[in-house]
Amino acid sequence: MENKQDTIRIQWFPGHMTKAKREMQEKMKMVDMVIELRDARIPNASKNPMIEELCNQKPRLIILSKKDKADALETRKWITKLQKEDVKVLALDIIKENITPKVVEASQELMKAKIERMKRRGIRPRAIRAMVVGVPNVGKSTFINRISKKKIAVTGDRPGVTKSLQWSKVNANLELLDTPGVLWPKFEDEKVGVLLAVSGAIRDEILPLEEVAAWAMRFLMQHKPELLEKRYAIELDEDPYSNFTKIAEKRGFLKNGKEIDFKRTIETFLREIRDDRLGSITWENADEV
Ligand SMILES: Nc1nc2c(ncn2[C@@H]2O[C@H](COP(=O)(O)OP(=O)(O)OP(=O)(O)O)[C@@H](O)[C@H]2O)c(=O)[nH]1
Ligand SMILES: [Mg+2]
């Protein structure tokens, strides 16, 4: 089965992101390292190419967030793939895990050489300053709150919650700068846009939801048919839309008691994917990127 269809156009770069990018560029000079959050379900699509450029050779800690929603085996492969000399990688369930010791240790290790240099010069090492960056809704503010053990940053299960940059003091050794989730003006590949949409990084209001849901349906029909069959107790057809019809009938999503309520069906389908109801799914293969 082909997982291909008419081009899906998703473009999204609102004003506050342009402003955020400029401010992040300015603040980058002040920070020692970057903590980049990526969604463990889509470690490649949630890599912001603007961040590569912005980072400008600073040591980087990549956090694969929402580890609990991703396939554990795939996550291990991604960690191996992304690790480099100046890049450490941790996969975390930010909500349930005790993340602080892991993050503090990894940050100190990344900054070891610099701290040593300062000590040798007789400079008392100050707190490490790290900028926390990533696409919208990936968990940046939740991450900062969990590490600082305070509810400083506003969080929410929708993209675009944080609108401005904000410092948080974790302890004497670490300070974190929260930033608004940013996307980039043009997705190089249609798949990147759709995966960001499926993960919840782009506001539903501006998405062609039907196409995104059909794309997700095709993907799962091809790669994880057993999860669809199990969740919806349907026999799969080759046509994604016919599968939506079957789901609607099973769930009783009908208008006026007879017509299929298609909108409700696809909204439910996408919500259940995002809420991990079909199972832990990684949508990108480390060997193929
Ligand atoms: N299951 C799960 N949910 C998480 C995890 N990390 C964050 N979340 C949830 O993801 C949603 C978004 O979290 P935020 O911290 O607001 O994300 P953000 O990156 O600050 O988003 P913006 O400010 O909009 O860019 C919230 O509902 C969090 O509870 C995780 O590791 N696992
Ligand atoms: Mg935020």
Side-chain angles (χ1 to χ4, degrees), residues 140-141 154 161-162 178-179:
K140 299 175 293 300
S141 301
V154 183
V161 173
T162 307
D178 194 9
T179 65

Side-chain angles (χ1 to χ4, degrees), residues 37 65-69 92-95 134-143 154-163 178-182:
L37 268 72
S65 68
K66 311 197 182 184
K67 168 183 131 184
D68 50 302
K69 295 186 181 219
L92 300 173
D93 174 345
I94 294 173
I95 295 175
V135 298
N137 204 30
V138 71
K140 299 175 293 300
S141 301
T142 309
F143 171 82
V154 183
T155 64
D157 194 10
R158 59 188 188 283
V161 173
T162 307
K163 298 278 195 244
D178 194 9
T179 65
V182 284

Side-chain angles (χ1 to χ4, degrees), residues 30 41 62-63 96 160 192 220 232 270:
M30 293 175 55
R41 295 168 295 176
I62 296 179
I63 308 274
K96 297 224 181 74
V192 168
L220 294 172
Y232 299 108
L270 284 174

Side-chain angles (χ1 to χ4, degrees), residues 2 8 37 42 49 51 121 151 196 211 238 270 279 289:
E2 273 271 291
I8 305 174
L37 268 72
I42 50 166
I51 288 169
R121 286 204 227 127
K151 277 232 157 67
L196 285 165
E211 278 103 322
E238 293 243 338
L270 284 174
V289 177

Side-chain angles (χ1 to χ4, degrees), residues 81-275:
K81 186 176 173 85
L82 296 173
Q83 224 137 22
K84 277 187 260 163
E85 198 184 316
D86 253 13
V87 182
K88 282 193 168 292
V89 187
L90 291 174
L92 300 173
D93 174 345
I94 294 173
I95 295 175
K96 297 224 181 74
E97 257 182 272
N98 178 16
I99 61 171
T100 310
K102 289 184 187 168
V103 173
V104 169
E105 192 195 311
S107 307
Q108 278 172 344
E109 214 155 290
L110 276 167
M111 294 308 302
K112 211 167 156 186
K114 189 171 176 182
I115 293 171
E116 292 294 320
R117 263 201 313 276
M118 287 170 90
K119 276 189 186 155
R120 270 203 304 276
R121 286 204 227 127
I123 305 169
R124 202 160 59 112
R126 51 161 178 74
I128 297 171
R129 293 192 197 117
M131 188 186 287
V132 179
V133 300
V135 298
N137 204 30
V138 71
K140 299 175 293 300
S141 301
T142 309
F143 171 82
I144 290 178
N145 285 344
R146 291 278 289 125
I147 294 205
S148 14
K149 300 194 172 63
K150 289 176 221 144
K151 277 232 157 67
I152 300 176
V154 183
T155 64
D157 194 10
R158 59 188 188 283
V161 173
T162 307
K163 298 278 195 244
S164 57
L165 282 70
Q166 188 187 12
W167 281 106
S168 259
K169 218 177 155 101
V170 175
N171 54 34
N173 301 321
L174 188 63
E175 288 171 22
L176 299 176
L177 181 62
D178 194 9
T179 65
V182 284
L183 295 171
W184 47 106
K186 195 173 167 16
F187 298 130
E188 55 287 11
D189 177 357
E190 169 194 296
K191 191 177 166 197
V192 168
V194 186
L195 288 178
L196 285 165
V198 170
S199 81
I202 305 174
R203 281 175 49 217
D204 277 352
E205 292 82 343
I206 62 131
L207 285 176
L209 270 193
E210 192 178 312
E211 278 103 322
V212 171
W215 190 96
M217 175 62 89
R218 282 195 185 88
F219 177 96
L220 294 172
M221 285 157 61
Q222 193 176 3
H223 300 280
K224 301 273 174 190
E226 68 287 356
L227 297 183
L228 284 170
E229 283 161 352
K230 185 157 165 249
R231 175 76 195 165
Y232 299 108
I234 54 170
E235 205 169 299
L236 289 172
D237 267 349
E238 293 243 338
D239 173 17
Y241 289 89
S242 137
N243 291 329
F244 285 131
T245 305
K246 288 185 177 184
I247 292 173
E249 282 165 352
K250 275 266 166 172
R251 296 275 178 101
F253 292 161
L254 303 172
K255 285 189 282 196
N256 313 321
K258 48 184 192 305
E259 223 181 293
I260 298 287
D261 189 342
F262 203 69
K263 187 166 173 283
R264 185 170 170 201
T265 311
I266 61 163
E267 281 173 2
T268 305
F269 179 64
L270 284 174
R271 195 180 57 246
E272 295 194 350
I273 289 176
R274 290 170 183 163
D275 288 350

